[in-house]
Amino acid sequence: MKAKLLHKTRGISSPVRGRELGGEESEETGTTLPRRQLGRLLREARSATGMNLERAAALVQWSRPTLSRLERGETEKIRVSDILAICDAYGLDGATTEVARGLAEQVPAKSWWHAYGGLIPAWANLYLGLESSATTLTIFQSLIVHGLLQTADYTRALDRTYFSDETEEELDRRVRIRVQRQHILTRTHLPAEATVVLHENVLRTVVGNNGLMSAQCRHLADIGTRRNVEIRVLPFRAGFPLGAALPPFTIMDFGSGAPGHRQDPPQVYCEGYAGSAYLEQRADVSRFREAFRRLQESSLDPRSSRDLMRELARRYESER
C-alpha cells in the first residue's frame, strides 16, 4: 500500500508521493507514538499527585509492573475504560481526560494523523513533548522560520494574524511558550543538536515589517554560530533538488533513553494547516533522511548562509 499525504502550510499545498517519501508498507507493527504520548501524559499526571507507582497501581487495582509498562508506552492493547478509571483516580479535569481518551482510541493505528479539532484537541500540542526530549533535530522549513529559531517579535507577528481572536495576554503566553521551547538549543548542559535547512523563501518573506525581519535574520546568523546548531540556506537557484516540492518536516532522534526504558524510535513530524503527520516506520524515516541529505547538498555552506542572512539583515534595515 502506498501512502499519499497532502500537506497544507498556510496556503501552500505540497503532494508527497508514496514512492519517494512514503514507501511501501513494511511488516513493522503500527505506530508506537499514541501509546508513548499516553504513557507520558499519565506519568506526568501521577507525578503531579505525588503518588508513587505502588500507590497509583493500588488505586486502580493494577499491579505495579502493569502500570509501569503503560507509562513507558509498552502496552499494546489498551482499553479506554481503564484509561478513564486512571484519569478519575488522578482527579484529572475533563479536558485532559479527553486527550487521554483520544490517545487511547488511536493506539491500534498503523500511522498517525493528528487532526486539529478531532480526537485530540488542537490545544494539546503533543509535538512539544517529543521536541523537548529529542537529542537531535533535523529540520527543513520552506516558508516560515522554525519555532526554535524565531525571535519573540516574529512569533508575535505570526500569531497575531493566525490567532486573530485572541487577546494580547493570550498571545503573550504563546510567545513565552515558544521562547521556553528554544531553551533546548541554548541550555548549558547537553543542548540538543539542530541541523537546519531553510529555503531562501524563509528569509525573503516579510513577516511584520522590515525592522522585524532585520532582527530575525541577524538572530539566525548568530545562533548558527553555536557548536550545536548548523543552518544552511537553500537558494532559489537550487530549484527543486528532489524534483518535487517538499513539506516542512522535522526528524527527531531521542538518544539512548533512560536505564530500563526502551529507546524511542526516530520520528518524522510534518506539520500542515489542518493537522500533523507523525511517521516512524523505518522506510519513512530513511526516505526523509535521504531527502534532507539532498537538500543539504544543494544548499549554501554554513558560512555562506550566515553571510546571506547578514546581508539581508542590512538590506532590511536600510529599507525601514
Side-chain angles (χ1 to χ4, degrees):
M1 180 179 73
K2 293 182 180 179
K4 180 179 283 187
L5 301 177
L6 185 65
H7 299 273
K8 296 182 179 179
T9 307
R10 297 193 176 174
I12 300 297
S13 299
S14 301
V16 180
R17 291 174 291 174
R19 180 179 296 274
E20 279 112 11
L21 294 179
E24 299 288 339
E25 183 179 33
S26 71
E27 296 180 355
E28 295 176 81
T29 58
T31 176
T32 64
L33 179 58
R35 69 173 185 254
R36 287 190 286 114
Q37 292 283 31
L38 177 61
R40 181 181 288 114
L41 184 154
L42 295 177
R43 182 173 65 251
E44 291 175 354
R46 175 180 60 77
S47 296
T49 68
M51 286 189 285
N52 59 24
L53 272 169
E54 287 79 4
R55 175 58 178 159
L59 272 180
V60 294
Q61 298 182 337
W62 282 20
S63 68
R64 182 189 183 283
T66 299
L67 182 58
S68 179
R69 283 196 300 272
L70 177 65
E71 290 188 357
R72 294 198 302 270
E74 297 174 359
T75 304
E76 295 185 5
K77 294 183 179 180
I78 294 175
R79 294 189 302 183
V80 173
S81 58
D82 289 338
I83 300 306
L84 295 179
I86 293 173
C87 290
D88 180 66
Y90 294 169
L92 299 183
D93 58 31
T96 307
T97 298
E98 282 307 301
V99 174
R101 178 203 288 271
L103 288 167
E105 290 177 353
Q106 293 197 37
V107 162
K110 280 190 172 293
S111 60
W112 201 37
W113 172 263
H114 170 198
Y116 304 140
L119 288 175
I120 312 300
W123 56 262
N125 197 331
L126 304 176
Y127 168 78
L128 298 187
L130 290 170
E131 183 186 77
S132 64
S133 57
T135 57
T136 305
L137 297 151
T138 304
I139 298 165
F140 170 64
Q141 278 288 336
S142 54
L143 289 172
I144 298 174
V145 175
H146 191 274
L148 292 178
L149 304 173
Q150 292 175 7
T151 65
D153 286 340
Y154 188 99
T155 297
R156 185 175 286 104
L158 282 177
D159 287 354
R160 182 173 285 120
T161 300
Y162 192 68
F163 301 101
S164 57
D165 294 334
E166 292 193 352
T167 66
E168 285 298 314
E169 182 179 352
E170 290 169 326
L171 290 174
D172 286 343
R173 178 178 175 274
R174 289 187 180 278
V175 172
R176 288 196 299 271
I177 291 172
R178 195 77 52 87
V179 171
Q180 184 177 1
R181 281 172 56 191
Q182 298 171 0
H183 183 62
I184 69 170
L185 297 181
T186 59
R187 64 195 176 205
T188 302
H189 182 63
L190 296 177
E193 295 186 1
T195 305
V196 184
V197 170
L198 300 178
H199 195 281
E200 191 172 344
N201 274 317
V202 175
L203 305 179
R204 295 188 182 272
T205 301
V206 176
V207 172
N209 54 52
N210 285 352
L212 186 158
M213 289 302 298
S214 178
Q216 178 64 72
C217 287
R218 286 197 305 273
H219 175 69
L220 288 170
D222 290 345
I223 198 169
T225 63
R226 294 183 61 88
R227 294 180 61 183
N228 61 309
V229 179
E230 177 186 288
I231 302 177
R232 295 173 182 253
V233 175
L234 181 67
F236 288 129
R237 65 174 181 268
F240 296 98
L242 281 85
L246 294 176
F249 64 85
T250 300
I251 306 171
M252 291 170 281
D253 291 281
F254 301 97
S256 58
H261 288 248
R262 293 190 303 183
Q263 179 178 349
D264 285 345
Q267 197 80 42
V268 177
Y269 171 80
C270 295
E271 184 177 11
Y273 186 78
S276 305
Y278 295 81
L279 308 170
E280 63 182 17
Q281 300 295 331
R282 283 194 296 269
D284 291 324
V285 175
S286 294
R287 284 178 172 84
F288 273 91
R289 288 198 198 280
E290 172 62 15
F292 188 83
R293 184 189 66 78
R294 291 169 65 179
L295 291 170
Q296 263 191 317
E297 287 180 347
S298 300
S299 298
L300 303 176
D301 62 51
R303 178 181 291 275
S304 298
S305 296
R306 290 194 296 272
D307 289 344
L308 176 59
M309 294 169 194
R310 290 182 172 128
E311 176 190 341
L312 288 173
R314 290 191 293 269
R315 186 177 305 174
Y316 280 125
E317 186 65 28
S318 69
E319 295 173 356
R320 289 182 64 177

